[in-house]
Amino acid sequence: MQQICLFLILPWAVLGLEVIAPPSQQTLLGSTLLLPCTFRVENSQVISKFLAILWYFGDTEILRYDNKGKEIIHSRVTVDEKGFLQGNASITLSNVTISDEGTYRCLVIHSPSKQEKKISLKVQAVPGVHIIKKALIKQKEGSLQCLVTDYYPQAIKVTWLLNGNALTRSTSGSPRQNVDGTFRVNSSVTLLPSEIQDNMVIGCQVQHESYPRPLIDSFKVVYGVPPSVQMFSSKVEGHSETIFVCEASGFSPEPVQIKWLLNGMKVEEPRTSEGGGFIKRSYYWNPSGPGNQLANITCEAYHETLYQPVTETLQITKSYRHYYWTGVAILFILLVLLCSVISTSHQNFQVSHIHKLMLDDSEKVTLFCTASDCSKQPQVTWTVMEASETKSKGKRKVIWTENWQDKGSVPASLTQSGESDPLLNEEYTVRTDRLEVGRLLSVLSTLSFKPAVQKHKNIEVSCQFVCGWKKIEKKLKYSYILREPQVSQPIKLSINEAGDVLCSLVLQEFYPRQIRIRWSCGVGCYQDLESNTKINPCSSIQAFNAESECKIPGQLLKDPGFRMRMTWEHESMTGLEQQELSVQDKDFPWRPQMGEIINPDTLIPGTEGKFQCKIWGYFPDALEVKWLRREAGGQELFSVSPSEKYKIPEMEQKREADGTFSCTVSLIVSVSAITEKGAKFICRVGHPSLGEPLETSTGDFSLRRIPVIRSITHSNDKVTAEIDQFYPQDIELVWSRTKHRKTNKYVEYEASRISTESNSNSDGTYRIISSCDPKIYTFTHKHMKLRVEHEALETPIERTLIVKKELSSVKFFELQDGREIPLAESQQSNKKTQ
Ligand SMILES: *[C@@H]1O[C@H](CO)[C@@H](O)[C@H](O)[C@H]1NC(C)=O
Ligand SMILES: *[C@@H]1O[C@H](CO)[C@@H](O)[C@H](O)[C@H]1NC(C)=O
Ligand SMILES: *[C@@H]1O[C@H](CO)[C@@H](O)[C@H](O)[C@H]1NC(C)=O
Ligand SMILES: *[C@@H]1O[C@H](CO)[C@@H](O)[C@H](O)[C@H]1NC(C)=O
């Protein structure tokens, strides 16, 4: 404030200041809003040092700007500061919340004037409208709920519409406030059977100030029937598990969802599958533990006619204890029967379809059938019509007929009958359990048999229940179909940490489950290996998949003749089948790969040249590398062995993350222009996985060596230069001189003044000695130049000499960095003079 007071007492008289801002603003929750505020200074520009802008929300300062800079005290406020000097003091508020509602003040000071404008901000949020849609029950009062969510401000009007006409009977609860300040409210309506018909449209309409038009959610009336739920329990012949069956029936429309609870806790369903359109099954594996002998198992059926699920609980009594102790697991099965809507006014006796139990590890087929709500003792008869071998009529077999004895009052748990009764038939076993609820009996009967191809190719099974005078029979056609194991991929290999090879192969979609898998390996003769096979049911069809695995020490693969083999036998096949993989098969994944040979572009005679090649992706680490040499123009390959001329460093094989190996091999050659001219080096790689070794040859390389000026000497009046070690032989030497002392123009010497002598060195390089007779007169003073041109030189070498003759003495100098250095006298001339 002190600051502002200072402005106010400044003596300059600036005429009127006008601040313009709307009195009120309105925005939606979550939006980004501009709070506009502009100002004008009459007859003047805005002068920066007289200007201050302040914004307030209620009494809190949220922005302050003056000639010292700006300060924003609100995390969601942004400003465009450039606008301030042009009379724009607007601020932007982003992510508007309900708490942003209130009065904002924009205060502008342009000393000595000041003016303030108030903006009142209203925030709104548009409601969500959602009817909990459900099917209504015919002839019954129905209640519907409409959820109105996340709106602001609180005032709202909810109306129920029946074919567009308002219903007055609805009740709305009192709105509740959410943490972000928005409101929610529920409204419900009770519909009388007399006022609704099929296909009527029911709507929930909401009027709220945040939206110009009414918001409506609506749906068409659908009638449904809630499910009735019954639970059965049975032990399946040959299994330690107990099956629990929850049958929901008589409902419409689809679907019904069933959940299982064990002692009130949701049960995980590790596997669920659907089959046959109207059956759903779920299994529950209960970890057997001493605390579990007594339990309540509940089945909940959820349906769109219901707000709450229909539930049925079965109390497992002590008589079941032994299943928990001995059984690996409890197996739950749930059944949802989409029976057509049945009349409730008659006797409810009904019989389910025949269903097939899927038991993963069973060699047997188990079919079951349930009957419910019989007031008398139901009698069950299973009949099997086996396919006849002589194509005429099938053989009919009555497998089981049972009459229930009156057992008096049975507690609302289970009694079993099958356990003590002997089986009627060796091939077929039947077991029947019943549940008494009130005075009605429900029965679950299972038929198990071991299927055989001949007998059960096409059978018809019937299950007949007789309840008093009512007889219901259900039939099922069943075919025992063998499925042959399919193989879609070759044996798969991988390498483990320890360097062992894991082989695996998947057999798919075979039936029945029983399969014999064997792994073996070896060179020539095969030895059995320990293996591990996992069999899982297919999700889509009644069949199984087997994944089999075995481990082989990696070292064994070093033999090129090594093979691994998986064989399998199955009822669906006439003989054995097998899959093999050898180290040399095309499916063997770890063959060595070779890169190009890397070598210098130019080899310099008299030095060492290095050739390198990278090899990777191979397993096991049994790599053989050989270097070979092919002479210019020849075809024959010569082995390169370590010597003074060739060095072959030992290769270092590296294990990569995927278990394979890699290495870089190299050859170091002492280069000679004589031997290396036109020659090629070849790297040959052998590995157990390769039939023929891999080879890579060096690309073209050139041999070149830079000429070296060994000496420039003089003898008598001649200048001699010795140039050495160059390769190839072509070289050009140019001698030239200045004509006059002062010109820089060089003129070449005539050939007659030059003599050269060419030689070759033992390493194949060349040497040349060139002499020039510069023609010397008294008082000669001239510059001479020697230029050497050769393909190994990027730029020619030039040497500048000075020849001076005064009276009798001739002196030769070389010009180096501006200094004149006397040339040595050549040995030859010394000899001559001696
Ligand atoms: C506004 O909200 C969005 C999403 O919640 C967030 O990413 C953004 O950073 C917020 N902006 C400000 C200025 O707080
Ligand atoms: C004032 O500045 C804001 C940005 O802060 C801009 O969006 C608005 O259009 C400007 N108003 C005028 C009248 O220039
Ligand atoms: C409205 O009904 C829903 C679902 O029945 C419930 O979760 C919610 O708490 C209810 N809200 C109010 C405000 O009563
Ligand atoms: C099962 O339910 C009955 C009756 O509701 C209850 O008394 C009993 O304690 C329950 N048993 C278990 C193991 O939860």
Side-chain angles (χ1 to χ4, degrees):
M1 271 300 159
Q2 256 178 352
Q3 183 94 38
I4 295 153
C5 294
L6 273 178
F7 283 131
L8 297 180
I9 53 170
L10 285 172
W12 290 283
V14 178
L15 290 174
L17 169 71
E18 190 189 7
V19 177
I20 305 146
S24 71
Q25 283 284 89
Q26 192 164 302
T27 193
L28 285 178
L29 181 68
S31 63
T32 293
L33 171 77
L34 180 74
L35 286 169
C37 177
T38 54
F39 58 94
R40 247 172 347 112
V41 182
E42 216 170 282
N43 300 331
S44 165
Q45 293 269 322
V46 176
I47 295 159
S48 156
K49 61 181 173 181
F50 297 159
L51 180 69
I53 294 168
L54 291 109
W55 275 88
Y56 297 92
F57 174 46
D59 291 328
T60 316
E61 188 180 280
I62 55 172
L63 177 123
R64 161 182 287 258
Y65 167 87
D66 53 34
N67 59 3
K68 281 194 183 156
K70 80 166 187 242
E71 193 184 354
I72 301 176
I73 313 120
H74 191 300
S75 62
R76 285 175 289 114
V77 164
T78 51
V79 290
D80 180 7
E81 206 177 322
K82 280 184 267 138
F84 289 175
L85 290 176
Q86 276 127 43
N88 184 351
S90 310
I91 60 171
T92 302
L93 183 60
S94 58
N95 291 355
V96 171
T97 65
I98 302 291
S99 61
D100 291 334
E101 246 191 12
T103 305
Y104 291 79
R105 283 183 289 142
C106 167
L107 169 62
V108 179
I109 301 167
H110 195 261
S111 196
S113 316
K114 71 168 183 171
Q115 196 175 31
E116 179 185 89
K117 280 284 153 75
K118 281 186 183 160
I119 307 171
S120 105
L121 177 66
K122 279 182 84 180
V123 180
Q124 296 175 330
V126 182
V129 182
H130 173 66
I131 300 183
I132 302 179
K133 301 189 176 74
K134 69 197 260 310
L136 299 175
I137 301 165
K138 225 168 200 160
Q139 314 297 340
K140 274 203 176 166
E141 266 188 16
S143 131
L144 289 175
Q145 271 207 325
C146 178
L147 315 185
V148 184
T149 51
D150 303 339
Y151 64 91
Y152 189 87
Q154 188 176 351
I156 201 155
K157 191 176 171 204
V158 183
T159 322
W160 285 89
L161 303 173
L162 196 57
N163 270 355
N165 303 316
L167 275 171
T168 50
R169 218 175 29 253
S170 64
T171 51
S172 289
S174 50
R176 306 236 196 108
Q177 196 159 21
N178 299 316
V179 278
D180 69 352
T182 59
F183 291 93
R184 63 182 196 279
V185 74
N186 287 352
S187 176
S188 61
V189 72
T190 306
L191 298 161
L192 303 174
S194 58
E195 63 190 353
I196 37 172
Q197 285 144 25
D198 251 336
N199 288 328
M200 265 190 166
V201 176
I202 296 176
C204 174
Q205 174 182 286
V206 170
Q207 282 156 291
H208 187 253
E209 64 168 79
S210 63
Y211 205 72
R213 290 182 303 280
L215 295 146
I216 301 182
D217 186 28
S218 62
F219 83 113
K220 227 182 230 177
V221 169
V222 182
Y223 286 110
V225 181
S228 57
V229 175
Q230 278 188 309
M231 219 193 316
F232 304 91
S233 160
S234 176
K235 217 172 125 44
V236 180
E237 203 37 57
H239 278 271
S240 51
E241 302 93 342
T242 301
I243 313 166
F244 291 88
V245 175
C246 175
E247 189 181 287
S249 61
F251 57 88
S252 89
E254 269 191 87
V256 154
Q257 229 202 337
I258 292 201
K259 289 189 178 144
W260 288 98
L261 305 175
L262 182 66
N263 290 336
M265 304 281 283
K266 274 249 168 58
V267 154
E268 288 285 319
E269 291 168 19
R271 277 169 292 155
T272 4
S273 62
E274 277 183 57
F278 50 81
I279 304 177
K280 282 186 184 173
R281 301 164 306 117
S282 77
Y283 300 92
Y284 169 59
W285 300 91
N286 183 37
S288 63
N292 282 340
Q293 317 93 310
L294 286 170
N296 291 333
I297 288 170
T298 306
C299 151
E300 291 183 337
Y302 293 81
H303 187 247
E304 63 176 285
T305 52
L306 307 164
Y307 280 121
Q308 296 296 325
V310 182
T311 64
E312 186 74 26
T313 298
L314 204 65
Q315 207 173 343
I316 300 175
T317 59
K318 282 194 168 54
S319 63
Y320 273 85
R321 188 186 300 180
H322 68 283
Y323 298 139
Y324 287 98
W325 286 109
T326 60
V328 184
I330 304 177
L331 171 68
F332 286 94
I333 294 234
L334 91 83
L335 249 187
V336 181
L337 301 179
L338 299 179
C339 300
S340 54
V341 179
I342 47 125
S343 153
T344 50
S345 58
H346 290 91
Q347 191 193 16
N348 261 345
F349 175 63
Q350 49 181 321
V351 174
S352 74
H353 293 267
I354 300 174
H355 300 291
K356 186 151 172 288
L357 259 185
M358 294 262 214
L359 296 171
D360 287 355
D361 53 345
S362 179
E363 285 178 34
K364 287 194 170 185
V365 171
T366 298
L367 303 174
F368 69 92
C369 187
T370 67
S372 59
D373 295 349
C374 181
S375 56
K376 306 224 167 56
Q377 310 299 336
Q379 183 197 57
V380 59
T381 306
W382 285 95
T383 312
V384 175
M385 187 89 84
E386 287 180 357
S388 111
E389 267 130 81
T390 63
K391 258 215 156 179
S392 61
K393 254 181 78 185
K395 200 164 51 165
R396 192 180 167 81
K397 261 191 185 170
V398 175
I399 304 300
W400 176 265
T401 307
E402 187 195 54
N403 259 307
W404 288 89
Q405 273 115 52
D406 190 8
K407 295 203 171 149
S409 65
V410 183
S413 64
L414 289 157
T415 44
Q416 293 169 282
S417 77
E419 207 159 33
S420 56
D421 288 316
L423 306 173
L424 280 193
N425 189 300
E426 279 173 17
E427 300 169 52
Y428 297 96
T429 43
V430 171
R431 183 191 172 89
T432 306
D433 299 308
R434 68 172 182 166
L435 172 77
E436 192 172 300
V437 185
R439 282 190 289 121
L440 294 176
L441 282 171
S442 289
V443 173
L444 177 111
S445 187
T446 60
L447 170 75
S448 307
F449 56 94
K450 187 170 185 308
V453 181
Q454 283 305 322
K455 237 190 236 172
H456 301 113
K457 203 182 274 170
N458 271 307
I459 60 169
E460 190 178 79
V461 179
S462 121
C463 165
Q464 185 189 32
F465 279 98
V466 179
C467 173
W469 50 270
K470 210 168 172 187
K471 188 200 276 182
I472 303 177
E473 187 178 16
K474 297 284 165 155
K475 286 186 177 167
L476 176 78
K477 282 201 162 61
Y478 169 80
S479 332
Y480 182 51
I481 301 164
L482 292 175
R483 287 174 187 273
E484 221 176 290
Q486 306 292 313
V487 186
S488 60
Q489 275 178 342
I491 293 175
K492 221 163 79 189
L493 302 181
S494 61
I495 308 166
N496 73 4
E497 286 277 303
D500 297 322
V501 173
L502 303 175
C503 314
S504 70
L505 187 64
V506 177
L507 298 177
Q508 286 171 312
E509 302 191 346
F510 55 89
Y511 190 86
R513 190 181 191 274
Q514 195 75 8
I515 194 160
R516 226 168 74 87
I517 292 174
R518 214 160 56 94
W519 284 91
S520 53
C521 71
V523 182
C525 71
Y526 293 78
Q527 282 191 322
D528 277 2
L529 286 164
E530 252 180 61
S531 63
N532 181 9
T533 301
K534 268 187 260 154
I535 299 180
N536 290 313
C538 293
S539 55
S540 52
I541 55 169
Q542 177 170 323
F544 297 92
N545 295 332
E547 193 181 338
S548 190
E549 222 177 42
C550 77
K551 194 161 76 179
I552 297 173
Q555 295 310 306
L556 293 181
L557 275 65
K558 288 191 174 174
D559 193 317
F562 185 80
R563 304 182 77 81
M564 47 220 117
R565 173 197 278 176
M566 185 178 110
T567 54
W568 61 95
E569 272 177 281
H570 188 253
E571 194 183 336
S572 60
M573 310 176 334
T574 48
L576 281 176
E577 286 208 27
Q578 66 180 51
Q579 183 106 350
E580 279 202 351
L581 185 65
S582 84
V583 176
Q584 296 203 340
D585 273 345
K586 69 172 188 355
D587 291 318
F588 185 78
W590 306 307
R591 288 219 163 85
Q593 314 271 313
M594 250 183 128
E596 306 243 299
I597 294 184
I598 302 162
N599 59 263
D601 292 340
T602 309
L603 290 183
I604 304 165
T607 65
E608 284 188 337
K610 190 171 185 181
F611 297 86
Q612 274 191 311
C613 182
K614 195 170 154 69
I615 303 154
W616 69 93
Y618 59 92
F619 184 90
D621 58 343
L623 201 69
E624 277 174 36
V625 178
K626 241 188 169 163
W627 286 95
L628 302 162
R629 171 189 170 103
R630 181 186 283 138
E631 300 303 340
Q635 284 305 313
E636 221 178 322
L637 293 176
F638 298 95
S639 173
V640 169
S641 45
S643 61
E644 223 165 83
K645 183 162 171 62
Y646 300 113
K647 281 184 224 155
I648 303 176
E650 207 160 300
M651 63 179 171
E652 276 176 40
Q653 307 191 66
K654 213 172 89 205
R655 220 190 124 142
E656 300 291 338
D658 67 356
T660 62
F661 291 93
S662 71
C663 69
T664 300
V665 294
S666 40
L667 170 70
I668 298 166
V669 180
S670 298
V671 181
S672 149
I674 300 168
T675 52
E676 267 63 67
K677 190 176 176 199
K680 294 237 155 138
F681 290 97
I682 288 133
C683 179
R684 178 183 282 175
V685 170
H687 189 256
S689 66
L690 297 169
E692 290 289 312
L694 298 177
E695 278 187 4
T696 305
S697 165
T698 45
D700 288 331
F701 51 81
S702 56
L703 283 165
R704 272 197 293 196
R705 184 154 187 180
I706 296 176
V708 173
I709 298 181
R710 284 250 179 263
S711 63
I712 302 176
T713 53
H714 74 95
S715 61
N716 303 331
D717 293 344
K718 273 191 185 170
V719 185
T720 302
E722 184 185 345
I723 293 142
D724 195 8
Q725 280 190 340
F726 56 90
Y727 187 89
Q729 194 174 7
D730 286 346
I731 194 160
E732 200 176 340
L733 302 181
V734 180
W735 292 97
S736 56
R737 84 288 185 186
T738 51
K739 265 209 160 146
H740 302 291
R741 186 178 167 154
K742 279 185 182 157
T743 58
N744 279 333
K745 197 172 171 213
Y746 283 86
V747 177
E748 274 184 36
Y749 279 105
E750 309 82 66
S752 59
R753 294 192 165 271
I754 296 164
S755 64
T756 54
E757 179 191 331
S758 194
N759 286 301
S760 60
N761 297 317
S762 62
D763 64 359
T765 58
Y766 294 93
R767 185 157 43 102
I768 193 167
I769 297 169
S770 177
S771 301
C772 177
D773 179 0
K775 208 197 240 178
I776 301 161
Y777 306 103
T778 308
F779 300 116
T780 296
H781 185 126
K782 61 177 152 195
H783 283 64
M784 281 178 78
K785 200 182 261 181
L786 170 63
R787 198 169 80 236
V788 181
E789 287 174 24
H790 185 262
E791 65 168 272
L793 291 169
E794 269 176 40
T795 51
I797 305 175
E798 281 190 342
R799 294 289 189 89
T800 308
L801 310 170
I802 299 167
V803 186
K804 290 180 187 171
K805 183 169 181 186
E806 285 151 9
L807 297 175
S808 62
S809 69
V810 184
K811 284 183 181 151
F812 291 90
F813 302 91
E814 179 165 4
L815 197 61
Q816 281 180 12
D817 303 326
R819 284 187 300 137
E820 294 176 3
I821 295 160
L823 281 192
E825 215 166 323
S826 76
Q827 309 278 315
Q828 240 179 347
S829 66
N830 284 350
K831 269 185 209 150
K832 271 185 192 168
T833 47
Q834 271 165 14

